[in-house]
Amino acid sequence: MSDLLMKLNRNPATSAITKALGLPNPVELARERGAYLAHPFEGKTALLARSVDGYAADALFRSLVDAGVTPIEQAPPEGGPPLDIVAMDATGCASPAHLRALYDAFHPIVRRIARNGRVLLTACDPAMAETPAAAAVARGVEGFVRSLAKEVGAKGITVNLAYVDRDALDRLDVPLRFFCGMQATYVTGQVCHVKARVVAAASTPFKNALAGKVALVTGAARGIGMATAERLAQEGATVVALDMPSAADDLHQACGRIAAIPLMMDISAADSPERLAKFFVERFGGLDIVVHNAGITRDRTLANMQDHFWDMVINVNLAAVIAIDEAFLANGVLRNEGRIVCLSSVSGVAGNFGQTNYAASKAALIGYVAAQAPLLAPRGICINAVAPGFIETAMTDDMPFVTREVGRRLNSVKQGGRPRDVAELIAFLSTPAVAGISGDTIRVCGQGLMGA
Ligand code: NAD
């Protein structure tokens, strides 16, 4: 779906009118076109800021160097090149006075961050802080990040936070490459937790990151699922793209284009988990990546909702996910160091009018990944959820014009995301090297105001 307002803004014949009307003028968001995580920072200017006694600054420095850029630690003089990346280690902030380091680091340079620039902060996980004051201050960094993201979002700049544990510093490189790379286009104002609890893979390839892996993407005939199947295949995975038998034509067409293997199945049928497990064992000896993308809405206010609408949404969006995982996990069908990604929604984070069924199912997935993560950690398996906001798909195309226009603009970057933006986050969470992050829910919503 094309964004009419952006088209009018870019057209010399109409741009004066949109300006005179005071309509938003969203920036053209930069998106990654090259190989995932390979050489993302060539030619970029990166500033590294430190807080006193922070423990993650050296790891940030090393990760930036490994990614192909030598960070500077002093901002260049006024008139110098804009800053493409700003990384700040705030793990040393443990008292209210230490928060001043955030002001001191960003106040002088905030206007000098490039369009589509990237900002990443690291802080101590409040749950790991040594004193209540230190926990409060660590949580304070989150407030700073979310607010700064709102202030700079109109320039396409993203601002994110990694809470990193002392024993997980060697796991910062992949989150750094994602959050400071162009793949993070529509992910801003977000927080992830980098921990050492999951058994980690030995090697961390950044190119063809999924070579040799077998992936299942459900609901892959169109929209986010199709973009995800394509993205995982681009990284070298063998992708099985599943959808309803009724979507067979679209599925075959998509699979022909991206060289995926089509599989027609209703995930909510009682025998689907067993059939799926059998399919992957017989065909590939198991699988490595599961993306639970298939999802449905049946919106009604609770007072008007028929019981079968309730049941259908819970069955497809939640019960099928749990049942399929049970079948994959029971006999090691999902191999060690596997990755599971569930599609939640900002409706699951914040709730939404007319979506009690949908929001219940999507919030449940947030709880599900958090509870599963420690159970799967000894096998090196990571499980996370992504929560999209307004993404330009067939679903949002169907909205009435005004609802769609409002939904599109109510975020920090003033435009909708693309299926590819969600697929980038899913690809990142599917990477073997992302072993530090499990149990998290990351929104891909341009920092939508809903649930902010
Ligand atoms: P979509 O409706 O375009 O595609 C969903 C696909 O899932 C369809 O091809 C459909 O046939 C398939 N599917 C539905 N039920 C199935 C079943 N029982 N078995 C097998 N396949 C089934 O959806 P989308 O917009 O691409 O969204 C993908 C996921 O992201 C969903 O889980 C959705 O809830 C979530 N999400 C989307 C948005 C958005 O703005 N598009 C926002 C938040 C969350």
Side-chain angles (χ1 to χ4, degrees), residues 219 221-225 242-244 247 265-268 293-296 316 343-345 358 362 388-391 393-396:
R222 64 183 199 192
I224 294 168
L242 179 153
D243 213 298
M244 293 285 281
M265 195 181 282
D266 175 349
I267 55 161
S268 63
N293 167 76
I296 57 169
V316 173
L343 268 289
S344 178
S345 164
Y358 182 76
K362 296 296 186 181
F390 187 99
I391 307 297
T393 65
M395 195 178 93
T396 45

Short mmCIF file of all heavy atoms in Angstrom, two decimals, residues 219 221-225 242-244 247 265-268 293-296 316 343-345 358 362 388-391 393-396, ligand 1:
data_model
loop_
_atom_site.label_atom_id
_atom_site.label_comp_id
_atom_site.label_asym_id
_atom_site.label_seq_id
_atom_site.Cartn_x
_atom_site.Cartn_y
_atom_site.Cartn_z
N GLY A 219 1.94 -19.17 8.00
CA GLY A 219 1.23 -18.01 7.44
C GLY A 219 2.10 -17.27 6.43
O GLY A 219 2.16 -16.04 6.44
N ALA A 221 2.02 -17.22 3.03
CA ALA A 221 1.55 -16.96 1.66
C ALA A 221 1.56 -15.48 1.32
O ALA A 221 1.52 -15.10 0.16
CB ALA A 221 0.14 -17.52 1.49
N ARG A 222 1.62 -14.65 2.34
CA ARG A 222 1.56 -13.20 2.07
C ARG A 222 2.08 -12.42 3.28
O ARG A 222 2.46 -13.03 4.30
CB ARG A 222 0.12 -12.76 1.77
CG ARG A 222 -0.79 -12.95 2.97
CD ARG A 222 -2.22 -12.57 2.65
NE ARG A 222 -2.96 -12.34 3.89
CZ ARG A 222 -4.26 -12.21 3.98
NH1 ARG A 222 -5.00 -12.31 2.89
NH2 ARG A 222 -4.84 -11.98 5.13
N GLY A 223 2.12 -11.11 3.15
CA GLY A 223 2.39 -10.21 4.28
C GLY A 223 3.71 -10.48 4.97
O GLY A 223 4.74 -10.76 4.34
N ILE A 224 3.67 -10.38 6.30
CA ILE A 224 4.89 -10.51 7.11
C ILE A 224 5.50 -11.90 6.96
O ILE A 224 6.72 -12.06 6.90
CB ILE A 224 4.54 -10.21 8.59
CG1 ILE A 224 4.13 -8.74 8.75
CG2 ILE A 224 5.72 -10.55 9.50
CD1 ILE A 224 3.50 -8.40 10.09
N GLY A 225 4.64 -12.93 6.87
CA GLY A 225 5.15 -14.30 6.75
C GLY A 225 5.94 -14.49 5.47
O GLY A 225 7.02 -15.09 5.47
N LEU A 242 4.51 -22.40 5.27
CA LEU A 242 3.23 -23.07 5.53
C LEU A 242 2.09 -22.06 5.43
O LEU A 242 2.23 -20.92 5.87
CB LEU A 242 3.27 -23.69 6.93
CG LEU A 242 2.04 -24.42 7.45
CD1 LEU A 242 2.47 -25.48 8.48
CD2 LEU A 242 0.99 -23.51 8.07
N ASP A 243 0.97 -22.51 4.87
CA ASP A 243 -0.24 -21.69 4.93
C ASP A 243 -1.47 -22.58 4.75
O ASP A 243 -1.34 -23.78 4.49
CB ASP A 243 -0.22 -20.56 3.89
CG ASP A 243 -0.94 -19.31 4.41
OD1 ASP A 243 -2.17 -19.41 4.66
OD2 ASP A 243 -0.30 -18.27 4.58
N MET A 244 -2.62 -21.98 4.87
CA MET A 244 -3.89 -22.71 4.74
C MET A 244 -4.03 -23.30 3.34
O MET A 244 -3.60 -22.69 2.36
CB MET A 244 -5.06 -21.75 4.96
CG MET A 244 -5.18 -21.20 6.34
SD MET A 244 -5.82 -22.42 7.48
CE MET A 244 -7.57 -22.35 7.09
N ALA A 247 -5.06 -20.99 0.71
CA ALA A 247 -4.10 -19.99 0.20
C ALA A 247 -3.06 -20.63 -0.72
O ALA A 247 -2.01 -20.05 -0.97
CB ALA A 247 -3.41 -19.30 1.38
N MET A 265 -1.41 -26.47 5.27
CA MET A 265 -1.91 -27.05 6.51
C MET A 265 -2.62 -25.98 7.33
O MET A 265 -2.19 -24.82 7.32
CB MET A 265 -0.71 -27.59 7.31
CG MET A 265 -1.07 -28.53 8.43
SD MET A 265 0.41 -29.07 9.33
CE MET A 265 1.08 -30.30 8.23
N ASP A 266 -3.67 -26.38 8.03
CA ASP A 266 -4.30 -25.48 9.01
C ASP A 266 -3.62 -25.76 10.35
O ASP A 266 -3.77 -26.85 10.91
CB ASP A 266 -5.80 -25.80 9.08
CG ASP A 266 -6.52 -24.99 10.15
OD1 ASP A 266 -5.85 -24.33 10.98
OD2 ASP A 266 -7.77 -25.03 10.18
N ILE A 267 -2.89 -24.79 10.88
CA ILE A 267 -2.11 -25.05 12.10
C ILE A 267 -3.00 -25.36 13.30
O ILE A 267 -2.54 -25.94 14.28
CB ILE A 267 -1.15 -23.90 12.47
CG1 ILE A 267 -1.91 -22.57 12.59
CG2 ILE A 267 0.02 -23.81 11.51
CD1 ILE A 267 -1.14 -21.52 13.36
N SER A 268 -4.28 -24.96 13.22
CA SER A 268 -5.14 -25.19 14.38
C SER A 268 -5.85 -26.55 14.34
O SER A 268 -6.60 -26.89 15.27
CB SER A 268 -6.18 -24.06 14.51
OG SER A 268 -7.02 -24.05 13.38
N ASN A 293 4.11 -17.23 12.75
CA ASN A 293 3.61 -15.96 12.19
C ASN A 293 2.10 -15.99 11.92
O ASN A 293 1.44 -14.96 12.03
CB ASN A 293 4.36 -15.65 10.90
CG ASN A 293 3.70 -14.54 10.11
OD1 ASN A 293 3.80 -13.37 10.46
ND2 ASN A 293 2.97 -14.90 9.06
N ALA A 294 1.55 -17.17 11.55
CA ALA A 294 0.12 -17.22 11.18
C ALA A 294 -0.71 -16.64 12.32
O ALA A 294 -0.50 -16.97 13.48
CB ALA A 294 -0.29 -18.66 10.91
N GLY A 295 -1.61 -15.76 11.96
CA GLY A 295 -2.47 -15.17 12.99
C GLY A 295 -3.72 -14.61 12.35
O GLY A 295 -3.72 -14.29 11.15
N ILE A 296 -4.77 -14.52 13.13
CA ILE A 296 -6.03 -13.99 12.60
C ILE A 296 -6.63 -12.98 13.58
O ILE A 296 -6.30 -12.99 14.77
CB ILE A 296 -7.07 -15.10 12.33
CG1 ILE A 296 -7.34 -15.92 13.61
CG2 ILE A 296 -6.60 -16.02 11.20
CD1 ILE A 296 -8.53 -16.86 13.50
N VAL A 316 -6.01 -20.35 16.91
CA VAL A 316 -4.97 -20.13 15.87
C VAL A 316 -3.77 -19.39 16.46
O VAL A 316 -2.61 -19.78 16.26
CB VAL A 316 -5.55 -19.35 14.67
CG1 VAL A 316 -4.44 -18.98 13.67
CG2 VAL A 316 -6.65 -20.14 13.99
N LEU A 343 4.92 -14.21 16.75
CA LEU A 343 4.40 -12.90 16.36
C LEU A 343 3.35 -12.47 17.35
O LEU A 343 2.23 -13.01 17.36
CB LEU A 343 3.82 -12.96 14.94
CG LEU A 343 4.75 -12.62 13.78
CD1 LEU A 343 5.10 -11.14 13.74
CD2 LEU A 343 6.03 -13.42 13.82
N SER A 344 3.71 -11.53 18.21
CA SER A 344 2.74 -10.92 19.11
C SER A 344 2.18 -9.69 18.39
O SER A 344 2.10 -9.67 17.15
CB SER A 344 3.42 -10.58 20.44
OG SER A 344 2.52 -9.96 21.30
N SER A 345 1.86 -8.65 19.13
CA SER A 345 1.30 -7.44 18.52
C SER A 345 1.32 -6.33 19.56
O SER A 345 1.26 -6.61 20.77
CB SER A 345 -0.14 -7.69 18.09
OG SER A 345 -0.80 -6.48 17.84
N TYR A 358 -8.13 -11.08 20.44
CA TYR A 358 -6.82 -10.97 19.78
C TYR A 358 -5.75 -10.53 20.79
O TYR A 358 -4.66 -11.12 20.87
CB TYR A 358 -6.94 -9.96 18.64
CG TYR A 358 -5.70 -9.75 17.81
CD1 TYR A 358 -5.29 -10.69 16.87
CD2 TYR A 358 -4.94 -8.58 17.94
CE1 TYR A 358 -4.16 -10.48 16.08
CE2 TYR A 358 -3.81 -8.36 17.17
CZ TYR A 358 -3.43 -9.31 16.24
OH TYR A 358 -2.31 -9.10 15.46
N LYS A 362 -2.35 -12.45 21.95
CA LYS A 362 -1.03 -11.88 21.66
C LYS A 362 -0.27 -11.54 22.94
O LYS A 362 0.96 -11.63 22.99
CB LYS A 362 -1.18 -10.64 20.77
CG LYS A 362 -1.75 -10.95 19.38
CD LYS A 362 -0.81 -11.84 18.57
CE LYS A 362 -1.27 -12.06 17.14
NZ LYS A 362 -0.38 -12.93 16.38
N PRO A 388 4.60 -6.37 16.17
CA PRO A 388 4.48 -5.31 15.16
C PRO A 388 3.42 -4.30 15.54
O PRO A 388 2.44 -4.60 16.23
CB PRO A 388 4.06 -6.07 13.89
CG PRO A 388 4.31 -7.52 14.18
CD PRO A 388 4.15 -7.68 15.66
N GLY A 389 3.64 -3.08 15.03
CA GLY A 389 2.61 -2.04 15.15
C GLY A 389 1.89 -1.94 13.82
O GLY A 389 1.41 -2.94 13.30
N PHE A 390 1.85 -0.73 13.25
CA PHE A 390 1.14 -0.55 11.97
C PHE A 390 2.06 -0.94 10.82
O PHE A 390 3.02 -0.24 10.51
CB PHE A 390 0.71 0.91 11.82
CG PHE A 390 -0.16 1.14 10.61
CD1 PHE A 390 -1.54 1.22 10.73
CD2 PHE A 390 0.40 1.25 9.34
CE1 PHE A 390 -2.34 1.42 9.60
CE2 PHE A 390 -0.39 1.45 8.21
CZ PHE A 390 -1.76 1.54 8.35
N ILE A 391 1.79 -2.09 10.24
CA ILE A 391 2.60 -2.58 9.12
C ILE A 391 1.73 -2.59 7.87
O ILE A 391 0.57 -3.02 7.92
CB ILE A 391 3.13 -4.01 9.42
CG1 ILE A 391 3.86 -4.06 10.77
CG2 ILE A 391 4.03 -4.50 8.28
CD1 ILE A 391 5.10 -3.21 10.88
N THR A 393 0.20 -4.01 5.22
CA THR A 393 -0.11 -5.34 4.65
C THR A 393 -1.56 -5.34 4.18
O THR A 393 -2.29 -4.35 4.34
CB THR A 393 0.04 -6.45 5.72
OG1 THR A 393 -0.95 -6.24 6.73
CG2 THR A 393 1.42 -6.48 6.33
N ALA A 394 -1.99 -6.51 3.68
CA ALA A 394 -3.39 -6.64 3.24
C ALA A 394 -4.33 -6.30 4.38
O ALA A 394 -5.40 -5.70 4.18
CB ALA A 394 -3.62 -8.08 2.76
N MET A 395 -3.91 -6.66 5.61
CA MET A 395 -4.76 -6.40 6.78
C MET A 395 -5.00 -4.90 6.96
O MET A 395 -6.13 -4.45 7.15
CB MET A 395 -4.06 -6.98 8.02
CG MET A 395 -4.91 -7.12 9.23
SD MET A 395 -3.94 -7.88 10.57
CE MET A 395 -3.33 -6.43 11.39
N THR A 396 -3.91 -4.11 6.88
CA THR A 396 -4.07 -2.67 7.10
C THR A 396 -4.64 -1.98 5.86
O THR A 396 -5.29 -0.94 5.98
CB THR A 396 -2.72 -2.03 7.52
OG1 THR A 396 -1.68 -2.52 6.68
CG2 THR A 396 -2.38 -2.37 8.96
P1 NAD B 1 -1.97 -11.66 7.03
O1 NAD B 1 -3.41 -11.78 7.37
O2 NAD B 1 -1.58 -10.80 5.85
O3 NAD B 1 -1.32 -13.11 6.81
C1 NAD B 1 -1.52 -14.14 7.73
C2 NAD B 1 -1.35 -15.46 7.02
O4 NAD B 1 -1.61 -16.50 7.97
C3 NAD B 1 -2.35 -15.64 5.87
O5 NAD B 1 -1.67 -16.03 4.69
C4 NAD B 1 -3.29 -16.73 6.38
O6 NAD B 1 -3.80 -17.55 5.35
C5 NAD B 1 -2.39 -17.49 7.34
N1 NAD B 1 -3.16 -18.23 8.32
C6 NAD B 1 -4.20 -17.78 9.06
N2 NAD B 1 -4.70 -18.78 9.81
C7 NAD B 1 -3.97 -19.89 9.54
C8 NAD B 1 -4.02 -21.23 9.99
N3 NAD B 1 -4.96 -21.64 10.86
N4 NAD B 1 -3.12 -22.11 9.50
C9 NAD B 1 -2.19 -21.72 8.60
N5 NAD B 1 -2.10 -20.46 8.13
C10 NAD B 1 -2.98 -19.55 8.60
O7 NAD B 1 -1.23 -11.17 8.35
P2 NAD B 1 0.02 -10.18 8.55
O8 NAD B 1 -0.51 -8.81 8.59
O9 NAD B 1 1.11 -10.52 7.62
O10 NAD B 1 0.42 -10.58 10.06
C11 NAD B 1 1.26 -11.66 10.36
C12 NAD B 1 1.34 -11.82 11.87
O11 NAD B 1 1.73 -10.58 12.46
C13 NAD B 1 0.01 -12.20 12.52
O12 NAD B 1 0.25 -13.08 13.59
C14 NAD B 1 -0.52 -10.88 13.02
O13 NAD B 1 -1.39 -11.05 14.11
C15 NAD B 1 0.76 -10.17 13.41
N6 NAD B 1 0.63 -8.70 13.39
C16 NAD B 1 0.43 -8.01 12.20
C17 NAD B 1 0.31 -6.62 12.22
C18 NAD B 1 0.13 -5.77 10.97
O14 NAD B 1 0.06 -4.54 11.06
N7 NAD B 1 0.04 -6.36 9.78
C19 NAD B 1 0.37 -5.94 13.44
C20 NAD B 1 0.55 -6.68 14.61
C21 NAD B 1 0.69 -8.05 14.57
#
